[in-house]
């Protein structure tokens, strides 16, 4: 009776990790011989682990990664891929996001750009960063609609707060004048403080020409290239045993 009352109280306090630990018979059996302070510390740690797991699950759901299963542990490091293992391992540690740096991933269709971008996005979410994946064309269309319904400023502010924005398939279609301006506004809010990961079939050296208008193109390229890491992929997908892009 006392145990059920205690569980009800813990449930009321939303200490679900402690409840799970108390219901874990294997854990309880191994903890019986421990002093009270150590058993309490064990319960507190289980609660912290539970909350961390729930937070990561929320971050991953909000990230909307196109390839949710992509993770850095599954990267195929075969030679000839144009993949610098030291660089990617360093990126997996997350300091580039803490310092507001960008990652630019380029390569032909099917070489694994999207997969790698999603793997780095998942890694970021697992480290507690807020992440959002979107196709570049879709986001620019969304911002165009936001101009019409008056939500443009609010949406820009939301995007500016993201620790990592993954823009997939940049420069896959011609860009209109308003889209150029919106892209500049988007990147200007993030430069130096928030990270942007971009994938593109087009090499970054050709982006200026794709953007068209020289003045805005200069400004956009300055913000994209600022403290950025570049990865030019070759060959097939980076995922072991898969041909997915």
């Amino acid at each position: 009776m006392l145990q059920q009352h205690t569980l009800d109280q813990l449930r009321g306090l939303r200490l679900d990790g402690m409840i799970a630990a108390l219901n874990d018979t294997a854990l309880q059996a191994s903890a019986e011989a421990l002093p009270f302070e150590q058993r309490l510390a064990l319960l507190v740690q289980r609660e912290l682990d539970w909350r961390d797991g729930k937070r990561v699950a929320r971050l991953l759901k909000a990230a909307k990664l196109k390839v949710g299963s992509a993770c850095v542990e599954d990267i195929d490091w075969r030679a000839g891929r144009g993949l610098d293992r030291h660089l990617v391992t360093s990126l997996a540690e997350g300091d580039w996001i803490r310092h507001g740096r960008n990652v630019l991933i380029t390569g032909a269709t099917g070489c694994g750009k999207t997969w790698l971008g999603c793997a780095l996005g998942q890694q970021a979410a697992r480290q507690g960063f807020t992440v959002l994946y979107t196709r570049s064309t879709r986001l620019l269309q969304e911002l165009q609609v936001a101009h019409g319904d008056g939500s443009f400023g609010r949406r820009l502010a939301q995007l500016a707060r993201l620790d990592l924005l993954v823009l997939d398939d940049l420069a896959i279609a011609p860009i209109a004048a308003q889209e150029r301006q919106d892209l500049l506004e988007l990147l200007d809010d993030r430069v130096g403080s928030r990270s942007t990961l971009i994938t593109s079939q087009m090499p970054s050296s050709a982006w200026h020409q794709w953007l068209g208008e020289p003045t805005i193109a200069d400004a956009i390229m300055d913000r994209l290239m600022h403290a950025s890491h570049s990865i030019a992929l070759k060959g097939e997908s980076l995922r072991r045993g898969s041909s997915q892009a």
Side-chain angles (χ1 to χ4, degrees):
M1 182 66 69
L2 177 61
Q3 184 185 28
Q4 185 58 51
H5 178 63
T6 300
L7 290 174
D8 289 341
Q9 289 180 313
L10 291 173
R11 192 170 290 109
L13 293 170
R14 297 185 178 180
L15 297 174
D16 295 322
M18 284 192 178
I19 293 172
L22 288 170
N23 287 329
D24 186 340
T25 54
L27 177 66
Q28 290 304 305
S30 64
E32 284 181 357
L34 297 176
F36 171 76
E37 291 82 1
Q38 292 183 23
R39 294 177 68 182
L40 178 60
L42 189 62
L43 288 173
V44 170
Q45 187 60 53
R46 283 293 291 268
E47 178 63 31
L48 291 173
D49 292 344
W50 178 277
R51 293 191 180 194
D52 284 345
K54 295 288 282 185
R55 182 166 186 259
V56 169
R58 288 196 300 270
L59 288 171
L60 286 171
K61 182 178 180 180
K64 300 179 181 178
L65 298 172
K66 182 176 181 178
V67 188
S69 61
C71 60
V72 294
E73 293 85 354
D74 284 344
I75 291 176
D76 189 333
W77 299 101
R78 285 174 295 168
R81 307 304 315 285
L83 197 59
D84 183 333
R85 187 164 191 159
H86 176 74
L87 172 58
V88 176
T89 300
S90 175
L91 293 175
E93 294 174 358
D95 282 344
W96 65 287
I97 302 176
R98 296 182 186 93
H99 294 100
R101 296 171 183 159
N102 300 328
V103 170
L104 314 176
I105 305 175
T106 58
T109 299
C111 69
K113 302 182 301 297
T114 297
W115 192 94
L116 181 58
C118 288
L120 291 172
Q122 188 200 87
Q123 182 73 4
R126 285 158 55 182
Q127 293 171 336
F129 295 110
T130 54
V131 181
L132 177 65
Y133 165 93
T134 182
R135 287 176 57 84
S136 299
T137 51
R138 186 173 300 167
L139 181 59
L140 291 174
Q141 290 168 0
E142 177 189 332
L143 293 176
Q144 184 68 28
V145 172
H147 280 290
D149 63 20
S151 64
F152 180 76
R154 183 170 66 254
R155 185 55 178 152
L156 269 190
Q158 291 171 345
L159 294 168
R161 288 193 292 269
L162 291 167
D163 295 317
L164 174 60
L165 178 63
V166 180
L167 288 178
D168 198 14
D169 276 335
L170 185 74
I172 200 171
I175 188 168
Q178 184 61 63
E179 291 175 330
R180 272 196 305 267
Q181 188 62 46
D182 291 347
L183 182 59
L184 175 59
E185 293 288 340
L186 172 68
L187 296 172
D188 190 59
D189 285 344
R190 303 182 60 76
V191 64
S193 61
R194 295 290 188 271
S195 295
T196 305
L197 186 154
I198 288 182
T199 78
S200 177
Q201 296 178 28
M202 186 182 292
S204 57
S205 58
W207 292 354
H208 193 283
Q209 183 177 355
W210 167 73
L211 287 164
E213 204 286 319
T215 303
I216 296 181
D218 285 345
I220 290 174
M221 292 303 297
D222 177 67
R223 285 152 181 78
L224 283 178
M225 304 305 292
H226 176 77
S228 65
H229 302 282
S230 296
I231 301 174
L233 293 179
K234 303 173 184 177
E236 300 174 351
S237 173
L238 295 169
R239 183 181 179 181
R240 296 192 189 102
S242 172
S243 60
Q244 292 181 4

